[in-house]
Each structure stands twice: as structure tokens, then as C-alpha cells.
Amino acid sequence: MRLKVKLVAGNSTGTSGNWKKKLRNLVRQTPEAQAGFTADATYPSGINVAYVAYIQNKGMGGVPERPFMQRTVDEQQNKWSKQLTALLKGKSAQNGALLNAYTAVSKEMKADIQDTIKKWEWNDPRPNSPATIRMKQRKAQSGKNAVATDPYRALIDTSTMINAVTNNVKVK
């Protein structure tokens, strides 16, 4: 998701003569607040976390669609836009204000994705298959999971995926 901010210049009375230069520099920056999974995050088995997240999000090969990413965007994008606007209000000409605001929003995006994963209901309407539930129960009994997990909970097994959510700001 890319958040865009429209910068509007008003009267320059009472401002330093440097405001046009600062505004031009801000407009040249086109930051993107990003959150998601990096290509280098892997499970101990070597499987790419982004690949597993994609399969969980879109559904594939018997894994039901659990659109946690899209749900997060749908539910939170207005909040992120308002947060960005509030962070920039009256500060857009300050050094670093634009990047700081986008960084804060990207951190919020990361937290919101993790929150959606945590709160995903076990029966939402794509529950774990009976085979997955049995596998998770066996893993819990064998002590293979570092953290005890609910065998009915979708999206969280080893916590690798939820812990691999990252955020950053990309400036073009």
C-alpha cells in the first residue's frame, strides 16, 4: 500500500524565504510506507516465510484462503491516512518530518498486521483441517514448539510468520 499526501502551499507571509525550496525538496521525495515480509526471512526448515504468508493469505494447495493482509488494509487504511495527516500537520517543512511520519505509519502497519494474525478466529470461516489440528497437537506433545500454541488457531503455529512481519519506508 502506498499512502500519498498532497502538499498545498498558501501565502508565504511571515515565513522564511526558504519555504519554496523546502517544499520542492519534499515534493521530490515520494516515500512509501511498507509492511510485510522480506525475501530473506525463512523457517528453520529453509522455507521462505513470505511464500507461506502468501499461501495463507491467498489460499493454495488445500490451504484455505485466510486474507489477513487484505483484511488489515481494508480495516486500517483510513486510520493510517489520518495518522499520516496528523503527523504532518504543521510540520511538513521541518527536516525529516516527512520520513518520520511515514516511518511511524509503517510501524503502525506492521503492528496492525500482527494484530490481525493474533486475532484471527479459529472458526473464521476457514478453520484448520482436522489433519492440521492433529499435527499441531502432536508437535505440542513432543515439545517441538518453543511456544505452546492452540491447535485450532489458524495462522500461528511456530510464531515464525508473525515475528517476521517487518516495516520500512522506501523513498523513490
Side-chain angles (χ1 to χ4, degrees), residues 128-139:
N128 284 333
S129 70
T132 299
I133 292 168
R134 286 192 301 276
M135 185 261 319
K136 284 180 151 189
Q137 288 170 332
R138 281 193 305 273
K139 279 173 65 175

Side-chain angles (χ1 to χ4, degrees), residues 8-13 19 23:
V8 180
N11 268 340
S12 64
T13 25
W19 72 273
L23 185 60

